[in-house]
Amino acid sequence: MEKKDQWQSRAGFILAAVGSAIGLGNIWRFPYVAFEMVVAHF
């Protein structure tokens, strides 16, 4: 059985988790922001 990669440190895992959450939040928020920009322009 092959050994799977593991996180070298807890801080690395936390940074990756936070970065992923921020990225997903931006994807979720983009349509709303784009709509607000279009509405504010007209």
Side-chain angles (χ1 to χ4, degrees), residues 7-22:
W7 292 98
Q8 295 300 317
S9 68
R10 186 174 179 91
F13 172 76
I14 290 172
L15 288 174
V18 168
S20 178
I22 291 171

Side-chain angles (χ1 to χ4, degrees), residues 3-41:
K3 186 178 178 186
K4 297 192 178 201
D5 292 335
Q6 292 184 350
W7 292 98
Q8 295 300 317
S9 68
R10 186 174 179 91
F13 172 76
I14 290 172
L15 288 174
V18 168
S20 178
I22 291 171
L24 289 174
N26 286 335
I27 291 170
W28 179 269
R29 188 171 166 240
F30 174 74
Y32 170 76
V33 172
F35 176 75
E36 287 294 318
M37 292 293 185
V38 170
V39 171
H41 187 265

